[in-house]
Amino acid sequence: LEHIQLTYHSEKIHHQIIEFSKNYGHEVAMLAGIDHSTGDAVIIMDSDGQHPPSIIANMLVAYENGNDIVLMKRTNLIKNNFFKTCFLAISYFILNKILDINLESNSPDFSLISNQVAKILSLHFREKNRLIRGHIQTIGFNKTTLNFIVPDRKFGASSNNFFTLFKLAINAIFLFSTKPISLIIFSPIFILTGVIAHQFNFFQLNLMQLTSILILSFSCMLSIAAIYLKKILVEIRNRPLYIIKQHIV
């Protein structure tokens, strides 16, 4: 897309500063920004310098061309971290085989949404367990993807280690897939089939091996059920997503 020159006058820029009573995490912070947005479109971006403001002009062009959602996709490797790049590529591939939606690979939270999409997210997507980049890709509307090169980080240090990325992937699976609960439903059938096959000597396993398989299967089912129970408890408590300590308009 062609770059356009944007000229702003200070009297036309309205700033809002939202201070939470505590840190509720980046997902909730993004939702709070969406909740209090007033413009025709909302741009979600980090303040560490890796979401370059120079790309905003292209995002606005895409929006003016009729796109309610503009996703941004990284085109360069994560600097000095080949293994993290490979891990992300494999994770997106596996996730898109499991999820009921297709997550755009290498697309961070850096995106533009129209006011109409912002209102839908604000009114109807109030889950405590949330992934805005996934929600954005489930609600339809005209959508496009733009490429961008991630510049060097200017501020702070990244908190995205392998544990946080793994946690993000697990959250996405339980948010956008029914396969984990299906595994619980059908696992007893597979276990029963295995026990019957063993009894009739269709395959040879000693008692210790069969017991280990059964214990492992039940442990997996209990773990999946516990994750669902935890997420259900968080939702039914219906506590506020965030508490604002100070709102400066």
Side-chain angles (χ1 to χ4, degrees):
L1 289 173
E2 180 184 357
H3 280 278
I4 61 173
Q5 182 67 36
L6 298 180
T7 303
Y8 294 113
H9 300 286
S10 59
E11 66 270 13
K12 293 183 179 180
I13 299 178
H14 302 285
H15 297 89
Q16 294 188 58
I17 300 175
I18 298 173
E19 181 185 359
F20 293 141
S21 60
K22 67 173 186 175
N23 186 354
Y24 290 94
H26 78 284
E27 284 288 333
V28 170
M30 287 188 291
L31 181 66
I34 291 172
D35 287 345
H36 293 85
S37 63
T38 57
D40 295 329
V42 179
I43 294 176
I44 303 169
M45 61 189 301
D46 292 344
S47 59
D48 57 12
Q50 292 194 298
H51 295 167
S54 59
I55 308 296
I56 291 177
N58 287 11
M59 300 170 76
L60 293 175
V61 170
Y63 165 71
E64 292 291 344
N65 287 337
N67 293 290
D68 290 282
I69 299 171
V70 181
L71 302 175
M72 302 303 296
K73 183 174 182 178
R74 295 184 294 258
T75 57
N76 54 330
L77 298 177
I78 299 174
K79 193 173 182 180
N80 300 326
N81 205 328
F82 175 77
F83 292 105
K84 188 174 181 180
T85 301
C86 292
F87 176 78
L88 284 174
I90 294 171
S91 297
Y92 273 109
F93 176 79
I94 295 174
L95 279 175
N96 285 328
K97 295 295 182 182
I98 298 175
L99 302 183
D100 298 329
I101 64 171
N102 185 71
L103 279 178
E104 184 72 49
S105 62
N106 293 321
S107 286
D109 294 311
F110 190 22
S111 57
L112 177 149
I113 56 176
S114 67
N115 177 262
Q116 185 178 8
V117 172
K119 287 180 178 178
I120 291 172
L121 291 175
S122 182
L123 290 173
H124 303 297
F125 288 81
R126 308 299 297 187
E127 297 101 322
K128 309 299 186 294
N129 302 288
R130 54 190 308 103
L131 185 64
I132 283 184
R133 72 181 72 172
H135 293 318
I136 287 174
Q137 297 184 49
T138 64
I139 59 178
F141 292 95
N142 293 334
K143 178 178 67 176
T144 191
T145 301
L146 303 181
N147 296 329
F148 79 105
I149 296 175
V150 180
D152 293 336
R153 191 183 188 95
K154 295 181 180 179
F155 308 104
S158 175
S159 60
N160 286 332
N161 52 37
F162 286 102
F163 175 76
T164 57
L165 292 174
F166 178 76
K167 184 178 178 181
L168 187 69
I170 294 297
N171 191 44
I173 291 172
F174 281 85
L175 277 172
F176 302 108
S177 176
T178 57
K179 291 181 175 64
I181 197 71
S182 298
L183 186 62
I184 294 179
I185 294 171
F186 292 108
S187 286
I189 298 175
F190 294 132
I191 292 173
L192 181 60
T193 301
V195 171
I196 293 174
H198 175 73
Q199 289 296 112
F200 286 93
N201 295 320
F202 289 121
F203 57 84
Q204 296 298 319
L205 287 176
N206 59 43
L207 183 61
M208 181 65 70
Q209 291 172 325
L210 181 62
T211 302
S212 298
I213 292 173
L214 291 176
I215 291 174
L216 180 61
S217 300
F218 280 116
S219 297
C220 289
M221 287 189 289
L222 286 174
S223 297
I224 293 173
I227 294 174
Y228 273 111
L229 180 60
K230 177 185 176 182
K231 292 183 178 296
I232 291 170
L233 285 174
V234 169
E235 296 296 337
I236 62 176
R237 284 171 179 162
N238 199 30
R239 293 172 182 169
L241 285 169
Y242 56 86
I243 298 173
I244 295 177
K245 180 180 180 180
Q246 185 177 200
H247 184 195
I248 303 173
V249 181

